[in-house]
Every structure is written in structure tokens, then in C-alpha cells.
Amino acid sequence: MQSQIIANLTKLVESCIARRSLSTAKSVHARAFRLCLLGDTFLCNRLIESYSTCGDKSYVLSTFSTTWRKNVFTWNAVLSFFVKSGDFENARKVFDEMPERSPISWNNIISCSARSGRERDALDLYRGMVVEGFVPTRFTLASVFSACGSSGDVEMGRKCHSMAVKVGLEGNMYVGNSLLCMYAKCGFVGEAMRVFDDVSDPNEVSFTALIGGLALTDRFYEGFEVFRMMRRRGICIDAVSLSSALGMCSSGRLDTYADDGGKERFLGVVCGQQIHCLTIKLGLDGDLHLNNSLLDMYAKNGDMYSAEAVFESLTCASVVSWNVMIAGYGYSGDSDKAIRCLRNMQSLGFEPDEVTYINTLAACVYSGDIATAHEMFNSMAMPTISSWNALLSAYFQWGKYKEAINLFRKMQFQIVKPDRTTLAIVLSSCAGMRLLDIGKQVHATLQRAYLDEDVYVVSGLISMYSNCGKVELARTIFDKVPELDIVCWNSMMAGLAFNSLDMESIVLFNEMRKSGVFQSEFSYATVIGCCSELVSSLHGRQLHALATKDGYDNDPYVGTSLIKMYCRCGDVQGARRFFDSLPYRNTVAWNEMIHGYAQQGYGEEAVWLYEKMIDSGTKMDEITFVAVLTACSHAGLADVGIHIFDSMQRDHGIKPLLDHYTCIIDCLGRSGRFSELEALLDKIPCKDDGVVWEVVLSSCRVHANVSLAKRAAEELLRIDPCNSTPYVLLANIYSSLGRWDEVRAVREKMDDAGVVKTAGYSWNDVGHGMPSSRHEEHTELAKWRVEA
């Protein structure tokens, strides 16, 4: 009779579990208590499971504590409750106290660890499970692969992969998809694709994981091909897979193309618009997460008109939606709209979170409105470290290094603990101002926080010491780091190049290649720049070949460095051939090619290319006009130079700076047009700059214009009385005219002022008569050439 009552009560509890009825479960519990039936372990286990399903922690714990005879299922029921509620601390406590464990116990605690961001704990628990002789199940391996992917531990992932093969689970869809995600997250796309090929019947999870892995490693075209394959095979396309595809469109790394009207457009927008159409066709346009991905895609591609249209069509926006819109206005440099968006958000009852304020700060930063950014920061009641970092980054990006350092001091006074991002920004600010003493203090802070070997901040330390001329200290720090990443290598190479140690930078590049670190576009740009300084076209061509092999020859930074290298080495035709081969030419590439023509005396070609740049619609900047005016000066194209100079502000809205005035004065001076030159001298806003008057004095020497030469020399001596240049040039003018008395007077005046001419010198970089250290460097470079 009693067994029948227990069976009936158990069925009632099971119905409570199915219906999540807490009140009924309590009634059954009370009935069992009155009938003294709580000695039945199975009934108590079902009661614990019922309370767990209803989320009542107090009844779960009280029922567990009053259960007389606990078995492994009792412990697992309580463990499952804490796992489901995400309470890792209590789950681990229960697990450690369990007198007996089952595979379910291990799976629960490993899964809880992985989901709680404790990947190391999850992997350690997995090792303990294997040591105790338990065979991992598909749930175990899925959680372990997730932990490996999140922590980037591909070696452990490979060992688990071997275990999956050993226990015969490699063909399981659940395990296969988790394994695929692990390799994709770790950036091992080749392995991910092999796993994908081994999956007998890949589903939408398999495809989405592979697309995400390809996007993570910037292989966007292949990612789109997989998405198209998914579509062709008839695999169900859901909101998650569409969001992954939109993520590739939001990356900003897809190429541009010219439409039918010749206007340049981003391929990412076009692909994103196609996916938007597919979203509507599949009836998924009501999915909020997917709509947020659409907003992000349009915003990051600068199409705020379409982003606004999507946002206005949302039936129920979220804080994330508002945050994306604020960030989008920031990308487009419209801080006013970003702030209005924040106010509208608040007026509609949405509570801004930290991301909202950081995005608004960033919007002010992008538009250069630092004052508003600071005002926004001051309005925050309790700014977090991320907000501090956002404002610090704002000051750094706009070259306000002093303000960044002062803000860092204020941060310390308010006892806000800096993180690695804070310290990296402050170090970069110290590097920008070459503040060695403050940089050393930050270094000491890093050591106290045990962050002096963190690769993220080590690169900042290397840059700081290098920019302050302490390249030996930078190299010492670099050599002490146990595991260098590409940023540290690049920082050290750039530091050597900054200190004119170009050969050492090239040798370090070779060491990086030997170490197995895959070089980046910045690595190539730096080392090719060193070849430019060394005027070494042979090694520059070899680096060009390596860059092509690694797929970086079309990168804007690498391409610009290659153009500069070829021009500096005298191979202007080679530079032009490479320039013409570039699929996309930015302003810097055009400027470098024009400047290359100018430096090599191809003035007419430089002017022709300048006109082509205007026709292409590429935005010109101050450097463009410096390059083309230099070309006009060197080639004697005075009329063309005056026309271009006059068009700067009139046609292109660029106000002439000191460099532009210097170029046009040099152009007029070389042509002997001194009346126009003197008229221009009376107009320039920068009369106290010595470079202008040195250019004038040099032109006077060529054309023997004594009167203007005297004026230029007097101006130079007023600006810098200890400068030997005006004395020497003026004496040369008098001597060329045979006016020896004036020559003698200039030299006497020079002696009276105590000015001494610096001795000239020359250096021949061919190895003959070279200092032994330089000869050794060239030997090392020759060795590197053979290895390359």
C-alpha cells in the first residue's frame, strides 16, 4: 500500500516538473511529509528536480538537507540546479563534496565551467575525469571543445579531437560541430574545413561555424562562398547564419569597386544589401538580433541613410539598437547626431549602459570634438575603466598627449586601477612626447602589477623607449619577453628604424621569419621603408617578392612603401608599373608616386599624374600639393606651379601651409622671378621660419641677387644668430662675383660672432673603406638575402 502511495505521489511530482507547478509540488511535499514518506530517496530526488525546474533555491536546499539516504542522483539533482542557474561557486562546492560521481556529474561541472568563462577550470576538470577512468560523452567533448575555442588552446583541442576519434564520436554531429567551432575560433581554418568535409550531413550550425571562422581570419570571400554553398544545398538559413554573413560585410576589409557611373563603392555594402533582401524574403526581418546586425553593417560601411531606415522600421528597438546607431554616427564623424540619439533614447525610457556612453564618447572623438567628449565623461556618475580608456584614447588619437597624461594622473588620484589598455595608451602618449621620465614611472607601475611581460603593454614600452632614443633598453625588454607576438616584433623593428638602425631592423625581420611568426602588412611596410633609407633596391625587390607571396603587395601601406622604395632607389619606371598594378590607390599612394617623380626630376610626369589624381576623384591633402609643387620647382615649371598654388584654396579648400609657401618660393627663385618672390614674401604668414629664408638665399646665390641675399641673410641671423648657413651662402655669392672685400667682411663678422661652419662629410655604402660594424651588417644582410 505504501509503495503504491509513493508511486502516485511520484507521478504527481513528475507532472509538476512538466508543468513547472511550484504550488502543487509543495502540496505533494507536504502530503509526503505527513505520511512520513520522505525516507524514499527516489521521491525526494524528484521533489528536488521539481523545485529546481521552478527555480526555488530554498526548497531545493532544504529538501536536499532533509533527504535521509542521499545517492548519486540526489547530488546530481542539486548540482544540476546550480549549473542551470549559472552559480559556478556553489556548483563546484557541491561537486567537490560528492561522495560518488557519475559521468553526468562531470559533464555538468565541466559545462558550467565553460559557460562561466572559466575555461582553464573546465579543461582541468576534463583531465581529472579522464584520470578517474570515465569515458567522455558527446556532451563532455562539446563543452571541452567550447572551452578550448574560447581560450585559444588549440593543442588541448587537438588532444580532445584524438579522444573523440578513440571513443568513436568524431562522426557525431554534435561533437563535429563543436570541434569545427573550436578550430574556427582558434584561427585554424584549414583544420576547420577538414572537419567540415568529414561531417557526413552538415547542418546550419556547421555552415555558420565555418563562416565565422573564415571571417575571423579575414577570409571573407571564402566565407561568402560557403554561405552561397549553404544556400545552394538547401540548408535552413536562420537569423544566426545571416548575422554571421552580415558580420563579414561589417568588417570594412572587403575591396571597393567602381559602379556603372564610375563612382567608387564598398563591396561590403552591396553584399550586405543582398543579405538584407534575403532577410525580407525569408520573413526574418522581424528578428531583433538580425536587425541589429543589419544596423551594424550599414553603420560600419558609412551608409547611415539605410541604417536610419532600418532603425525606424523596428517595432521594438533595444538598447543595443540605440548603441549601434550612436556608434554609426560616430563612424561618420557626426557627434551632434550621436548626442541627439542619446537624448532621444533617454526620453523614450531606455536606460543607457556603459556601451552607450563609450559609443557617444567615441563619436565625439571621431569628429574631433574632444571638449564634448570630456563634457560627456564628466556627466557620468561613476565612469568605469572602459570610459576612462575611451577618453584617454581620444586624447591620444588627436595628438593631445599632455592631456592624456594629465587625465591618467587624475585617474590615479581618484584611485581608479588602470588596466593594460590604460597603461598601453599612456606609454604611447609618453612615446609621442618623448617623456622618458614619466615613461619609466609607468614602467615601474607595470612591474608592480606584474604586467611588464604582457605582450599588449610590452609593445608600448618598446615604442616609448625607442622614441626616447633608448633603443638598447627597448631591445633588452624585447629580448626578455618569453612569447612575442607580431605587435612586439613590429614595435621593435619600427623602433630600430626610427633610430636610423635600418640594417638592424632588416636583420630583426629575418629573425622574426625564422621564429615562425607570420609577418603582417606593418612588418613589410617597416622593413621596405628601411630599404628606402639604405637605397637598397636589390633587397627591396626581394621583399617585394616576399610580400607578393604572402598576399600583402596590394595592401595600401605596403604598396606605398614599395613605391617610395623604388623611387628612392632611382627606379621610377618600376615604381610606376607597380602603382598602375594596384587595384585601389588611396591618397597616400598617389602622393608617393607624385613625390617620386618630383625627387627624380620628372616634373611634367608629376604634374600629369596630379591631374589624373583630380580626374579619379581621389581626395587630395596638403602633402599632395607639397609633392606637385616640389616637382614644378625641380623642373622649372614656374607658371604651372603658380597655377596649382593658386588653386589650392580656391578649388580644393586647402589652406597653404609653410611647406607650400617654401615650395612656391623655391620655384620662383630657381626661375629668377624675384619680383614675384618678394611680393609673396610680404604676404606669407610665417616670416620667422628659417627654412624660407634659406631657400631664398640659395636662389640668390644661383642668380647673384645680392640685395635680396642680404635681406635673407639678415632675417636668418635674426632668427638664429649661431647659424653658419647665411654667412657661408652670402660669402659664396660675393666670391662668385669677385667681391673679395665683402667676402672678407662676412668672414670677419662670422669670427666675431663665434660661429663655426660644420665640417662636411660623405659616406659610401659599398663596403670599401666602410667601418667594420657596417661591413658586418652588410654581410648579415647578404646572408639574409640568400635565406630569403
Side-chain angles (χ1 to χ4, degrees), residues 584-647:
Y584 171 68
R585 306 178 191 98
N586 61 8
T587 303
V588 181
W590 284 95
N591 289 351
E592 204 60 63
M593 192 64 242
I594 294 169
H595 188 258
Y597 274 136
Q599 292 295 81
Q600 297 300 325
Y602 293 89
E604 293 181 356
E605 288 84 350
V607 173
W608 180 85
L609 195 63
Y610 160 77
E611 292 170 350
K612 284 290 181 184
M613 183 179 180
I614 295 173
D615 294 340
S616 71
T618 306
K619 185 179 179 181
M620 288 176 285
D621 58 14
E622 292 86 354
I623 299 171
T624 311
F625 288 97
V626 170
V628 71
L629 289 172
T630 300
C632 294
S633 174
H634 289 183
L637 302 173
D639 290 330
V640 176
I642 292 169
H643 171 73
I644 291 172
F645 182 80
D646 291 340
S647 71

Side-chain angles (χ1 to χ4, degrees), residues 423-473:
L423 296 168
I425 295 170
V426 174
L427 282 170
S428 299
S429 299
C430 292
M433 292 186 70
R434 302 184 189 180
L435 296 174
L436 181 61
D437 290 338
I438 297 176
K440 284 181 176 179
Q441 292 171 19
V442 177
H443 190 179
T445 304
L446 287 170
Q447 289 175 321
R448 287 196 298 271
Y450 301 102
L451 288 170
D452 53 322
E453 291 187 356
D454 186 311
V455 291
Y456 188 75
V457 293
V458 162
S459 60
L461 276 173
I462 292 168
S463 297
M464 185 273 294
Y465 281 120
S466 298
N467 281 27
C468 294
K470 301 292 183 182
V471 72
E472 299 86 1
L473 274 173

Side-chain angles (χ1 to χ4, degrees), residues 301 319 327 403 586 733:
N301 283 291
V319 174
E403 288 84 347
N586 61 8
I733 293 172

Side-chain angles (χ1 to χ4, degrees), residues 539-603:
H539 305 110
R541 287 192 180 97
Q542 291 172 344
L543 284 164
H544 186 177
L546 279 174
T548 303
K549 179 183 174 184
D550 291 338
Y552 287 123
D553 54 325
N554 288 332
D555 180 84
Y557 299 105
V558 178
T560 303
S561 298
L562 283 167
I563 293 168
K564 181 179 179 181
M565 182 273 298
Y566 281 121
C567 290
R568 285 288 298 271
C569 295
D571 187 4
V572 184
Q573 301 307 319
R576 181 57 192 273
R577 282 194 298 272
F578 176 71
F579 175 81
D580 290 338
S581 71
L582 289 173
Y584 171 68
R585 306 178 191 98
N586 61 8
T587 303
V588 181
W590 284 95
N591 289 351
E592 204 60 63
M593 192 64 242
I594 294 169
H595 188 258
Y597 274 136
Q599 292 295 81
Q600 297 300 325
Y602 293 89

Side-chain angles (χ1 to χ4, degrees), residues 128-190:
M129 177 182 181
V130 174
V131 168
E132 290 196 15
F134 288 95
V135 177
T137 66
R138 62 193 181 108
F139 302 108
T140 317
L141 291 170
S143 296
V144 172
F145 286 138
S146 174
C148 291
S150 299
S151 62
D153 192 346
V154 72
E155 292 305 318
M156 186 62 186
R158 286 185 174 128
K159 291 177 183 177
C160 296
H161 188 177
S162 301
M163 176 63 78
V165 174
K166 182 179 178 181
V167 299
L169 288 173
E170 76 278 9
N172 181 274
M173 176 68 71
Y174 193 62
V175 173
N177 286 342
S178 301
L179 180 60
L180 173 57
C181 289
M182 184 274 294
Y183 280 126
K185 286 181 180 179
C186 292
F188 288 80
V189 180

Side-chain angles (χ1 to χ4, degrees), residues 272-447:
Q273 287 170 338
Q274 293 172 349
I275 295 171
H276 190 176
C277 293
L278 184 59
T279 299
I280 297 169
K281 182 179 178 182
L282 296 173
L284 296 171
D285 49 323
D287 186 279
L288 181 58
H289 176 71
L290 184 54
N291 277 314
N292 287 340
S293 298
L294 277 168
L295 285 174
D296 187 59
M297 182 275 296
Y298 283 124
K300 285 184 177 174
N301 283 291
D303 188 357
M304 287 307 296
Y305 178 80
S306 298
E308 287 170 350
V310 173
F311 183 76
E312 289 170 4
S313 70
L314 294 179
T315 54
C316 181
S318 66
V319 174
V320 175
S321 313
W322 287 96
N323 288 347
V324 172
M325 290 301 293
I326 292 170
Y329 289 127
Y331 299 142
S332 59
D334 196 338
S335 59
D336 291 338
K337 280 191 175 180
I339 293 169
R340 280 204 301 272
C341 193
L342 170 63
R343 288 171 181 161
N344 290 339
M345 173 185 178
Q346 291 172 312
S347 67
L348 291 171
F350 288 92
E351 187 65 32
D353 58 14
E354 185 183 355
V355 176
T356 314
Y357 288 113
I358 291 174
N359 285 353
T360 312
L361 276 172
C364 298
V365 172
Y366 287 135
S367 61
D369 190 357
I370 305 297
T372 306
H374 201 108
E375 183 182 337
M376 178 68 59
F377 178 81
N378 290 335
S379 68
M380 297 169 67
M382 292 288 290
T384 62
I385 187 64
S386 298
S387 304
W388 284 94
N389 288 344
L391 190 57
L392 279 169
S393 178
Y395 283 130
F396 173 73
Q397 287 176 27
W398 288 93
K400 296 180 179 292
Y401 306 128
K402 185 177 180 181
E403 288 84 347
I405 292 167
N406 288 336
L407 184 66
F408 175 64
R409 285 175 175 154
K410 181 181 177 182
M411 182 178 176
Q412 290 179 303
F413 287 135
Q414 295 192 13
I415 319 177
V416 179
K417 186 178 179 182
D419 63 5
R420 58 208 293 259
T421 304
T422 316
L423 296 168
I425 295 170
V426 174
L427 282 170
S428 299
S429 299
C430 292
M433 292 186 70
R434 302 184 189 180
L435 296 174
L436 181 61
D437 290 338
I438 297 176
K440 284 181 176 179
Q441 292 171 19
V442 177
H443 190 179
T445 304
L446 287 170
Q447 289 175 321

